[in-house]
């Protein structure tokens, strides 16, 4: 199968590596000529260019640009695509992308491979990024089943677990488990860094270890990605942030009132609830 990838960064480059290792012919297009050259020189793709007409004979095209460029990229790609080509994207927010892309290409399937690292760009591309990770597809009533099946089969071949849901349900769910944690984690780093006593701040930085590493990881990643998910998933993220603020207020109230029983009740509940989010996929 001949596959095209537009946007050779962390996700596009990692997809290219895995698809190529599974015997597919992978053609990559990126904005900068230099990126295309690096991808070719490192054997990440079979062919590369900064021009979309490279993809004139692909069976499947993955749009892996930043969110803001996905729909405009598809618009520019359409004149070059074979009529039966299936197009999918990897954007972290789905409803606005699916709304813009569906009228542009009949065989468009919204997608979101839920894997990443703190890295960005072609240098950060790595093999096996999507193994054991969820891969969400967000078809609408108008999406041809054959297109969904084709992308689902590719996602399975990457070792991902495939889920299908409506775009807005995806966006509300990822607001909770991905976009809210990003903001909470960034807020943690900002609050700690705001400590006014230099001696305390200095010692805190020296003592920070695995707990801080875990809780600050997603807040210390690519800033562009954080801004993009906030812009594109604004209502769902705001709703989650406001509910999170209410939870913080309950903790503050219990601690101010020295109501240790109330605090214990809340923490016992969260201890039980955590496992419901981190169950193994086979459970
Ligand atoms: P990234 O590492 O910054 O890669 C994006 C690449 O797209 C850049 O390297 C850039 O390549 C290229 N690009 C930018 N504008 C372009 C355009 N107009 N046309 C063609 N190529 C363009 O970002 P990423 O983390 O891979 O994210 C890409 C997509 O994956 C986003 O939509 C994001 O929402 C989604 N996603 C990200 C993660 C994550 O954790 N990072 C996880 C799942 C999904 P040049 O070097 O050529 O400029």
């Amino acid at each position: 199968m001949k596959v095209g990838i537009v946007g050779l960064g962390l996700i596009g480059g990692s997809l290219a590596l895995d698809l190529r290792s599974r015997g597919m012919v992978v053609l990559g297009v990126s904005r900068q000529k230099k990126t295309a050259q690096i991808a070719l020189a490192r054997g990440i793709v079979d062919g590369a260019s900064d021009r979309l007409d490279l993809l004139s004979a692909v069976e499947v095209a993955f749009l892996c640009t930043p969110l803001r460029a996905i729909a405009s990229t598809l618009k520019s790609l359409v004149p070059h695509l074979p009529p039966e080509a299936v197009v999918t994207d990897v954007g972290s927010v789905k409803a606005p992308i699916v709304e813009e892309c569906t009228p542009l290409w009949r065989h468009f399937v919204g997608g979101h491979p839920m894997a990443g690292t703190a890295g960005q760009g072609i240098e950060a591309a790595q093999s096996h990024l999507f193994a054991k990770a969820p891969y969400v597809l967000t078809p609408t009533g108008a999406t041809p089943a054959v297109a969904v099946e084709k992308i689902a089969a590719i996602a399975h071949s990457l070792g991902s677990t495939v889920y299908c849901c409506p775009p807005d349900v995806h966006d509300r769910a990822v607001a909770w488990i991905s976009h809210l944690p990003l903001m909470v984690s960034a807020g943690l780093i900002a609050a700690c860094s705001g400590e006014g006593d230099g001696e305390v701040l200095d010692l805190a930085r020296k003592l920070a270890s695995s707990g801080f590493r875990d809780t600050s990881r997603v807040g210390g990643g690519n800033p562009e990605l954080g801004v993009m998910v906030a812009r594109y998933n604004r209502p769902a993220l705001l709703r989650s942030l406001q509910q999170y603020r209410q939870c913080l207020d309950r903790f503050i109230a219990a601690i101010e009132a020295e109501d240790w029983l109330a605090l214990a009740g809340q923490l016992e509940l969260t201890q039980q609830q955590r496992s419901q989010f981190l169950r193994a996929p086979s459970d």
Side-chain angles (χ1 to χ4, degrees), residues 6-12 30-32 35 64-67 69-70 73 90-92 112-113 115-117 120-122 222 225:
V6 188
L8 295 170
L10 166 68
I11 300 296
S30 217
R31 181 179 49 173
Q32 302 184 69
T35 305
C64 304
T65 68
L67 282 166
I70 291 175
T73 299
V90 298
S92 312
H112 181 197
T117 70
Q120 68 184 104
I122 190 69
N222 180 354
L225 192 61

Side-chain angles (χ1 to χ4, degrees), residues 109-278:
V109 186
H112 181 197
M114 297 196 57
T117 70
Q120 68 184 104
I122 190 69
E123 311 291 347
Q126 63 180 68
S127 300
H128 314 304
L129 184 64
F130 310 101
K132 299 200 174 105
Y135 198 124
V136 189
L137 299 180
T138 60
T140 68
T143 316
V146 61
V148 182
E149 281 155 20
K150 194 166 266 184
I151 304 303
I154 294 177
H156 279 303
S157 81
L158 300 170
S160 301
T161 306
V162 177
Y163 298 91
C164 280
C165 67
D168 66 305
V169 174
H170 164 276
D171 291 352
R172 283 160 53 201
V174 296
W176 283 120
I177 54 79
S178 178
H179 305 164
L180 174 66
L182 194 156
M183 296 300 156
V184 169
S185 172
L188 171 75
I189 299 168
C192 292
S193 302
E195 167 60 52
D197 184 326
E199 192 184 349
V200 173
L201 181 60
D202 189 44
L203 184 62
R205 284 174 174 156
K206 288 188 176 113
L207 299 181
S209 183
S210 56
F212 190 81
R213 186 174 300 114
D214 290 348
T215 49
S216 65
R217 185 178 63 82
V218 291
N222 180 354
E224 192 189 356
L225 192 61
V227 175
M228 282 295 143
V229 298
R231 273 181 65 176
Y232 280 77
N233 204 16
R234 184 170 167 272
L237 176 57
L238 278 176
R239 188 171 154 268
S240 298
L241 276 167
Q242 275 148 5
Q243 290 194 33
Y244 177 68
R245 183 156 63 188
Q246 287 170 18
C247 292
L248 274 186
D249 285 342
R250 280 201 293 278
F251 287 137
I252 292 170
I255 295 166
E256 275 178 348
E258 300 186 45
D259 187 347
W260 309 127
L261 212 58
L263 184 63
Q266 289 172 40
L267 295 179
E268 276 159 22
L269 195 59
T270 55
Q271 186 185 38
Q272 291 163 23
Q273 289 167 331
R274 181 172 188 263
S275 62
Q276 294 162 6
F277 285 90
L278 297 172

Side-chain angles (χ1 to χ4, degrees), residues 2 4 12-13 33 45 47 52-53 83 107-108 134 143 197 219 230 254 259 267:
K2 203 177 257 187
K33 227 179 211 136
V45 290
L52 289 166
D53 58 6
H107 288 94
F108 175 82
T143 316
D197 184 326
D259 187 347
L267 295 179

